[in-house]
Amino acid sequence: MSTTDLAANPSDLRALAEQSNAWPFEQAKAIVARLKKAPKDEVLFETGYGPSGLPHIGTFGEVARTTMVRHAFRVLTEDKIKTRLLAFSDDMDGLRKVPDNVPNRDMMAAHLGKPLTRVPDPFSNEYPSFGAANNARLRAFLDHFGFDYEFASATDYYTSGRFDATLLKMLAVYDKVMAIILPTLGPDRRATYSPFLPISPTTGVVLQVPMIRRDVAAGTITYIDPDTGAEVETPVTGGHVKCQWKADWAMRWVALGVDYEMAGKDLIDSVKLSGPIARALGGTPPEGFNYELFLDENGQKISKSKGNGLTIDEWLRYASPESLSLFMYREPKAAKRLHFDVIPRNVDDYQQFLDGFPRQDAKQQLANPVWHMHAGRPPKGDMPVTFQLLLTLVSSSNAENAETLWGFIGRYRPGVTPQTHPKLDALVGYAINYYRDFVAPTKKFREPTDGERAALQDLRDALSQLPAAATAEDIQNVVYEIGRREPFLDPVKKGKDGRPGVSLDWFNMLYQVLLGQEKGPRFGSFVAVYGLANAVAMIDGALARSA
């Protein structure tokens, strides 16, 4: 029985989901337990976004993962409790430094310290501010992927009065909040710290200044203007102030009634402090977990301001949104390199998970990433050619156009066309882009040894004797048999006939000598698509180069 069969009976699906240890279900179970202690009619999921730099994939990952938990919760509660997902942008934060990867940096430098929604758009005049421009970029991708979410702007929520009641609570429990925060600060920071950051009425800068008076009844704070030395009294409501980060997070949880929010490992200390502040405000911190950070090719944390990680647009130039979603599903509590070389594996693994889904029973399907990625309704898998195979085809034929690649595909899979398989057509485009940008610049053919030349000659002769209709399996058997010689024998692995197997060194040599790359797809499948005559000509060319 599959999950499709169980969908008609939500209680049966719920019962099976309660036994699943897939991480979205584990997270959703914690929310179910939370509701047993404090029932409510609606559950609010939240994700945070700091628009101080161009949106990167980490931001998308948080929304994707939270969406998976939200769907798991709906299954565990048989969709009887309303849920919402709020994508919240901290766009009222002051601009601390000019990002490295934006234009008009001198212009932006003149607005340091101001809320991001008061800093002009450095890209164009399309948006009223830098914060608004980056918010739009985030929403455009989330919309493209089809996320069900509501967007929220800190600037809008502060200035509209949405946070006023909780800000007044913060003022009333000011001493409790200070007692939570101050022990975590150094002497200099303690001297100036306040949970409230006034917005200067003259410069528009977010001020980090100590409070000299508080009037709970009037709802105001008083501070010394750092530019004039004059006392300034300002309300904590109506957008005249914003809260310091940890206090801000807690205030938001309480004001909105957030039930679930995950965060990066670098925010563990913030979570630990924001929780007690939320309790001081009379609220309960949300459920959630701390996911590991994404790393660049050098093992450094990716940063929006540095621009050292993949952007959303870059991933989508080389692969589908689904492959990105799979990357986010996998091992959220393990640090992972987020670099271009992770793309091919995730593209092909997604197709493998999709192809295997119909053959699984319901329990196995609930552990399959595609069930969580597609909210329990994964599409039918139908990708007759792998991404790695397409890359090798482009590399071997220098066919940097879709028409040539489709010629190979059409011969290998008659009846498969761009019209019948539009997703494969998109994959062709991705492969061409990836080859041009990453494979072609690094192609380096190595010279074969004398023994390798002899093996290549034998392979050339064997392939030339195969019939044109030879299958990929027929070709692979020949490739395997020719490779069964020193130095390619693998005494540990045994063939079906009990003879020594063939080591990966044989196949690696084929890719290095024939294609100028370190790895490739199953060689028999490649030759079947590329064509026996073309493969023979390719070997002839390699032998001629090394003569």
Side-chain angles (χ1 to χ4, degrees):
M1 182 175 290
S2 71
T3 52
T4 302
D5 300 322
L6 292 176
N9 193 335
S11 62
D12 289 345
L13 184 59
R14 173 187 54 77
L16 193 62
E18 288 175 340
Q19 302 171 26
S20 175
N21 59 3
W23 72 260
F25 283 125
E26 292 297 312
Q27 291 295 298
K29 290 170 189 175
I31 309 172
V32 172
R34 174 190 181 92
L35 293 186
K36 290 180 180 179
K37 298 176 183 178
K40 56 189 300 191
D41 297 329
E42 178 181 276
V43 168
L44 181 63
F45 295 80
E46 183 180 59
T47 64
Y49 168 56
S52 58
L54 298 177
H56 63 59
I57 288 177
T59 308
F60 162 75
E62 192 168 307
V63 180
R65 287 167 171 167
T66 303
T67 296
M68 295 173 193
V69 176
R70 180 188 181 189
H71 174 252
F73 172 81
R74 294 177 63 184
V75 171
L76 290 175
T77 57
E78 300 179 29
D79 212 11
K80 293 178 180 178
I81 299 175
K82 182 180 178 181
T83 63
R84 293 166 52 224
L85 171 58
L86 194 67
F88 196 95
S89 172
D90 288 303
D91 57 17
M92 203 167 167
D93 288 353
L95 179 67
R96 294 192 300 270
K97 64 178 182 177
V98 178
D100 297 332
N101 55 348
V102 299
N104 300 311
R105 300 183 76 246
D106 290 341
M107 178 275 291
M108 291 191 70
H111 296 275
L112 285 174
K114 293 181 181 180
L116 297 170
T117 45
R118 295 190 186 182
V119 177
D121 178 8
F123 305 104
S124 66
N125 294 320
E126 183 179 357
Y127 298 99
S129 69
F130 179 50
N134 283 337
N135 287 342
R137 285 170 170 81
L138 175 71
R139 292 197 306 271
F141 182 76
L142 298 181
D143 291 342
H144 172 76
F145 198 82
F147 286 115
D148 176 20
Y149 73 101
E150 300 170 30
F151 181 79
S153 157
T155 300
D156 292 344
Y157 276 45
Y158 269 102
T159 58
S160 69
R162 187 79 175 266
F163 288 152
D164 282 359
T166 312
L167 288 168
L168 291 172
K169 285 183 183 178
M170 181 81 73
L171 184 61
V173 298
Y174 184 93
D175 290 335
K176 290 183 179 179
V177 174
M178 293 289 279
I180 294 168
I181 295 291
L182 290 184
T184 69
L185 306 176
D188 293 341
R189 190 73 185 90
R190 282 201 298 267
T192 62
Y193 182 84
S194 167
F196 295 109
L197 300 176
I199 311 298
S200 171
T202 54
T203 65
V205 169
V206 180
L207 301 175
Q208 296 206 26
V209 291
M211 302 298 104
I212 61 173
R213 279 192 304 278
R214 290 171 285 119
D215 189 331
V216 176
T220 63
I221 54 175
T222 303
Y223 63 93
I224 301 295
D225 188 307
D227 295 321
T228 66
E231 289 189 8
V232 179
E233 183 178 21
T234 189
V236 297
T237 54
H240 292 91
V241 307
K242 75 172 298 293
C243 288
Q244 290 265 17
W245 160 232
K246 298 175 182 70
D248 183 86
W249 209 7
M251 182 276 299
R252 191 166 78 214
W253 288 343
V254 174
L256 303 179
V258 177
D259 295 289
Y260 185 87
E261 181 166 8
M262 61 179 66
K265 185 180 179 181
D266 55 337
L267 296 179
I268 288 178
D269 290 340
S270 296
V271 173
K272 289 179 178 178
L273 284 176
S274 296
I277 296 173
R279 293 186 184 95
L281 292 169
T284 303
E287 306 300 318
F289 75 97
N290 292 101
Y291 54 82
E292 264 288 1
L293 305 178
F294 298 117
L295 310 176
D296 65 13
E297 71 273 23
N298 299 316
Q300 301 297 311
K301 174 192 169 185
I302 63 171
S303 163
K304 293 188 295 292
S305 59
K306 291 181 181 178
N308 61 329
L310 285 176
T311 67
I312 291 169
D313 290 340
E314 285 171 333
W315 186 292
L316 294 183
R317 171 171 166 78
Y318 307 113
S320 67
E322 291 82 3
S323 63
L324 176 56
S325 187
L326 174 62
F327 180 81
M328 295 303 168
Y329 177 87
R330 286 173 148 163
E331 302 175 308
K333 294 188 178 182
K336 294 185 290 188
R337 290 176 67 256
L338 181 54
H339 193 53
F340 296 104
D341 56 6
V342 308
I343 292 177
R345 176 196 168 194
N346 282 279
V347 172
D348 284 337
D349 283 358
Y350 169 72
Q351 292 303 325
Q352 289 182 9
F353 284 124
L354 207 59
D355 291 340
F357 186 82
R359 299 189 295 272
Q360 296 176 320
D361 61 28
K363 181 178 179 180
Q364 293 170 325
Q365 288 179 343
L366 291 182
N368 189 323
V370 298
W371 190 90
H372 298 275
M373 292 163 52
H374 294 284
R377 296 182 296 275
K380 180 181 178 181
D382 187 16
M383 191 64 69
V385 179
T386 67
F387 189 60
Q388 186 64 65
L389 183 52
L390 287 176
L391 288 176
T392 305
L393 280 173
V394 181
S395 180
S396 59
S397 62
N398 294 317
E400 293 188 40
N401 64 80
E403 291 76 17
T404 302
L405 279 181
W406 271 107
F408 290 125
I409 296 169
R411 184 179 66 242
Y412 177 60
R413 290 284 189 267
V416 174
T417 69
Q419 290 71 39
T420 62
H421 288 70
K423 289 193 174 182
L424 176 56
D425 193 36
L427 198 65
V428 166
Y430 294 142
I432 291 173
N433 290 340
Y434 193 93
Y435 170 79
R436 287 172 177 167
D437 293 350
F438 302 112
V439 179
T442 60
K443 280 175 72 76
K444 185 177 181 180
F445 296 92
R446 79 165 175 84
E447 296 291 313
T449 64
D450 290 342
E452 290 169 347
R453 279 184 59 84
L456 286 170
Q457 183 65 56
D458 289 345
L459 179 61
R460 180 243 183 251
D461 294 341
L463 292 178
S464 65
Q465 295 172 22
L466 285 174
T471 66
E473 195 62 31
D474 294 335
I475 298 169
Q476 184 71 9
N477 288 337
V478 168
V479 174
Y480 193 86
E481 188 60 36
I482 297 298
R484 185 176 272 144
R485 64 177 72 193
E486 292 292 353
F488 306 119
L489 290 179
D490 186 341
V492 177
K493 292 192 302 185
K494 299 292 184 180
K496 295 179 181 179
D497 54 6
R499 291 190 295 165
V502 179
S503 74
L504 289 177
D505 292 341
W506 164 238
F507 298 98
N508 291 340
M509 183 276 290
L510 294 177
Y511 294 117
Q512 293 163 5
V513 173
L514 300 179
L515 298 170
Q517 61 192 54
E518 291 299 316
K519 299 178 181 179
R522 197 164 186 261
F523 200 77
S525 298
F526 160 67
V527 173
V529 181
Y530 190 46
L532 285 166
N534 290 330
V536 168
M538 180 173 61
I539 297 174
D540 286 340
L543 293 173
R545 284 196 307 270
S546 60

